[in-house]
Amino acid sequence: MAATRSWDEHAHGVLRDAGHKRGGARDAVIAVLAEEPCALTAQEIDDRLRAGGRRIGRASVYRGLDLLAAHRLVQRVETGEGLARYEPVRPDGEHHHHVVCEDCGELIPFHDPGLERAIEALARRLDVEVRDHEVVLRGSCRRCLQS
């Protein structure tokens, strides 16, 4: 069985093939994103870098995210109130969707094979090729509903 490339290896390869040299700040952003199971804000990425002893300017984090987005290596997830989160676009197409709590801001990832089948059926019915999709549901999380 052939080994699959990790997202960070894939990202470095895409950027290298596009003529970009490796960079300390960008490599650090890639490393943080590769370890996270869900989307992070630029602030959260910066916080994780600082907690790990890396002092990278916020502007460098944003530049790295912009470059990754331009090469479709990260997906920008709009969570409302001007807040954006970023998560890796996996080369194998594996992905999840999100519920955003409008009360506390919690981001809850979810997988739903039935939703994926419904999106595929809709694409067939509309006679379109869906290359990418993003589902963000908004509501209240269990903790906020109970308070």
Side-chain angles (χ1 to χ4, degrees), residues 3 10-11 15 24 33-35 54 67 72-74 101 110 142:
H10 170 70
L15 294 175
L33 287 170
E35 296 297 318
R54 300 289 306 262
L67 182 65
R72 298 182 49 89
L73 294 166
V74 296
C101 178
F110 71 91
R142 183 178 317 270

Side-chain angles (χ1 to χ4, degrees), residues 63-74:
R63 278 193 301 273
L65 290 169
D66 286 345
L67 182 65
L68 293 170
H71 288 281
R72 298 182 49 89
L73 294 166
V74 296

Side-chain angles (χ1 to χ4, degrees), residues 41-51 56-58 61:
T41 65
Q43 175 67 50
E44 290 169 331
I45 293 169
D46 189 45
D47 291 347
R48 282 170 175 69
L49 291 170
R50 289 180 187 279
I56 296 171
R58 180 90 37 86
V61 171

Side-chain angles (χ1 to χ4, degrees), residues 10-25:
H10 170 70
H12 288 301
V14 168
L15 294 175
R16 181 189 60 244
D17 293 348
H20 298 283
K21 297 194 183 310
R22 302 257 323 231

Side-chain angles (χ1 to χ4, degrees), residues 84-137:
R85 295 175 183 259
Y86 301 84
E87 67 183 351
V89 174
R90 307 283 174 196
D92 63 0
E94 177 64 29
H95 68 281
H96 59 256
H97 301 291
H98 304 93
V99 176
V100 177
C101 178
E102 292 180 316
D103 301 314
C104 71
E106 181 180 6
L107 186 68
I108 305 162
F110 71 91
H111 291 274
D112 188 318
L115 177 60
E116 296 301 322
R117 287 190 300 274
I119 291 169
E120 290 169 9
L122 178 63
R124 283 191 304 275
R125 192 176 85 222
L126 297 175
D127 196 24
V128 298
E129 178 186 345
V130 175
R131 292 186 190 99
D132 191 13
H133 65 272
E134 173 185 337
V135 175
V136 178
L137 305 174

